[in-house]
Amino acid sequence: MAKNKVKTHSGAKKRFKMTASGKVKYQKTNKRHRLTQKATKRKRIARTVGIADVTNAPALKKLMPYL
């Protein structure tokens, strides 16, 4: 019997991407507005890519079965 298709969670596909090794990456917060009053160090740290914790990764992969 054929396998059913699963819909991708539209909120998750906008916020997360998969790396080649199968980890889940995301963009950190605090880089959108009111940047003049934030410290340079805080903005520099927010530029880097975040990697989802291994405990949350399986749940995120379920939301994005085809990515």
Side-chain angles (χ1 to χ4, degrees), residues 24 51-62:
V24 180
I51 302 294
D53 193 62
V54 293
T55 56
N56 294 328
L60 293 171
K61 287 178 184 177
K62 260 187 200 176

Side-chain angles (χ1 to χ4, degrees), residues 1 4 6 16 18-20 22-23 25 27 31 33 38-39 41 44 47 51 54-55 57 59 62-63:
M1 197 159 121
N4 287 340
V6 181
F16 302 104
M18 301 294 290
T19 63
K23 295 178 182 176
K25 67 178 183 176
Q27 189 58 50
K31 272 292 277 187
H33 58 92
K38 292 176 185 169
K41 180 179 178 181
R44 184 176 64 246
R47 276 199 302 261
I51 302 294
V54 293
T55 56
K62 260 187 200 176
L63 294 175

Side-chain angles (χ1 to χ4, degrees), residues 39-52:
T40 308
K41 180 179 178 181
R42 183 173 165 190
K43 292 186 284 187
R44 184 176 64 246
I45 291 169
R47 276 199 302 261
T48 62
V49 172
I51 302 294

